[in-house]
Amino acid sequence: MDYLQKAYCMNQTVRIYAAITTEMVTHVKDIFNMWPSSIDAFGRLLTISSIMSATYKANETLNIFVKGDGPIGKMTVEAKDCKVRGYVENPGVFLQNNDGSINITKAVGNGEIEIVKDLHLRAPFTSSSELISGDIANDFTYYFAKSEQIPSSVGLGVSIDPETNKILASGGFLIQVMPGCKDEYIEKLENKLKNLKPTTEMIKEGYTPIDIINEITDGDYVLLETKEIKYECNCSKERFKKGLKSLGKIELENILNEDKKVDITCNFCNKSYHFDENELKEIILELN
Ligand code: ZN
């Protein structure tokens, strides 16, 4: 089971979230047949999205878009209460750096992060910031500072065996500095982060989220919460039926006459739904 843990540290003036998402990222890689650069970038995005959703109330929904001009194309994630789902434009990207390591910054490219928050106020609230590196972690650090005015630090990683395309580890953390945090605390954290092992190294060594928090805070933390992280799609045949109905009677009659069936695949989970001739006739009848 993937999960995140949330803690306070530095006299409750710093919030830390750490998450392990190896299972989720493996699952997503498998359903979309993703190649290394695509799953590396998307896995990082899914991880920070699940962490970010934990900073909001359980009924509040975040729609997160990373619109880069690299070969991966647009990445879309919906996150609510640590449940996430999403998809990328091109799951089949594999770029390598000169040393053979997986490249994601070129694969993501330049562009922007856009986040639409439905906090059940009058209208959804949209905020955005530019992609400053394409590695997702620095991009979100910049997003939090620029769009939410919260000094933050984001660490994210997905470790993939390039030979077998197996996900060896995935996870990350978010550190947020609250108003009133002393400069000496910030300095202490900055020094710690400079020498911190990569997140995926810690996870491969068997660290749990709280072990990562313990490492960052030198044991000086108060654990607040543990939450399961899950990739979850709520699609159903009933939902797609509603979508078909919205096409209208004339369009549906055209489909019925030409194809006698409809197959729809869900963008978020790749599940296919089939509507045969009789079902289409029924839907048309319901529209009368
Ligand atoms: Zn679905």
Side-chain angles (χ1 to χ4, degrees):
M1 183 186 93
D2 288 335
Y3 63 99
L4 69 75
Q5 289 181 298
K6 174 185 175 185
Y8 275 136
C9 71
M10 306 292 173
N11 246 335
Q12 302 199 11
T13 54
V14 173
R15 277 196 306 217
I16 304 190
Y17 301 80
I20 294 180
T21 56
T22 312
E23 270 181 37
M24 167 171 74
V25 171
T26 302
H27 172 68
V28 171
K29 187 206 75 181
D30 290 343
I31 54 176
F32 294 119
N33 278 320
M34 296 181 84
W35 290 22
S37 297
S38 294
I39 191 60
D40 194 344
F42 192 49
R44 290 174 190 219
L45 179 59
L46 287 169
T47 301
I48 189 61
S49 300
S50 61
I51 292 175
M52 218 181 142
S53 75
T55 70
Y56 286 87
K57 295 200 188 94
N59 65 345
E60 296 175 340
T61 307
L62 303 175
N63 285 283
I64 300 170
F65 308 96
V66 172
K67 302 172 181 172
D69 63 2
I72 293 176
K74 186 177 169 186
M75 298 193 277
T76 301
V77 174
E78 218 180 87
K80 184 181 173 183
D81 197 24
C82 292
K83 300 200 172 49
V84 293
R85 61 175 196 164
Y87 56 93
V88 303
E89 219 169 292
N90 187 357
V93 180
F94 184 17
L95 301 183
Q96 279 170 298
N97 299 312
N98 290 335
D99 64 359
S101 59
I102 296 161
N103 175 287
I104 68 162
T105 54
K106 278 199 206 106
V108 171
N110 298 310
E112 62 165 7
I113 295 175
E114 186 184 283
I115 302 186
V116 182
K117 297 166 198 164
D118 188 352
L119 311 178
H120 302 291
L121 304 169
R122 241 169 250 158
F125 176 74
T126 303
S127 52
S128 63
S129 71
E130 63 186 292
L131 292 171
I132 57 160
S133 88
D135 79 342
I136 311 298
N138 284 316
D139 302 314
F140 272 83
T141 299
Y142 182 71
Y143 169 83
F144 287 119
K146 190 170 178 262
S147 291
E148 309 213 344
Q149 281 84 46
I150 307 171
S152 306
S153 180
V154 179
L156 296 168
V158 177
S159 171
I160 304 159
D161 180 341
E163 298 291 313
T164 60
N165 204 25
K166 185 180 169 5
I167 307 293
L168 305 172
S170 172
F173 61 81
L174 166 65
I175 302 172
Q176 295 197 313
V177 175
M178 319 295 251
C181 183
K182 289 184 193 159
D183 288 346
E184 58 177 290
Y185 290 160
I186 296 174
E187 226 170 88
K188 205 173 153 190
L189 275 172
E190 278 173 350
N191 282 329
K192 194 74 208 179
L193 290 175
K194 256 182 234 158
N195 302 310
L196 194 71
K197 277 188 265 189
T199 321
T200 48
E201 287 308 312
M202 291 193 267
I203 297 169
K204 276 191 240 174
E205 284 173 30
Y207 280 51
T208 62
I210 205 65
D211 293 335
I212 296 172
I213 292 171
N214 184 56
E215 185 80 31
I216 294 169
T217 60
D218 278 330
D220 179 19
Y221 64 86
V222 181
L223 175 65
L224 293 172
E225 195 176 22
T226 300
K227 273 191 120 143
E228 186 181 0
I229 292 173
K230 229 180 168 174
Y231 192 85
E232 200 174 84
C233 189
N234 52 4
C235 69
S236 64
K237 195 159 182 181
E238 207 47 43
R239 279 189 175 220
F240 282 105
K241 191 173 158 186
K242 263 190 208 162
L244 283 177
K245 275 188 177 172
S246 70
L247 293 175
K249 203 180 158 190
I250 295 169
E251 180 66 28
L252 285 171
E253 276 171 347
N254 282 340
I255 295 172
L256 180 64
N257 293 332
E258 280 167 29
D259 302 323
K260 311 220 183 307
K261 65 174 175 67
V262 174
D263 288 295
I264 312 171
T265 303
C266 176
N267 279 337
F268 292 99
C269 67
N270 230 8
K271 204 190 266 178
S272 288
Y273 293 93
H274 178 76
F275 293 86
D276 64 21
E277 196 175 352
N278 284 333
E279 286 170 308
L280 284 175
K281 280 181 185 162
E282 261 171 47
I283 293 170
I284 292 168
L285 275 177
E286 282 173 30
L287 280 171
N288 284 330

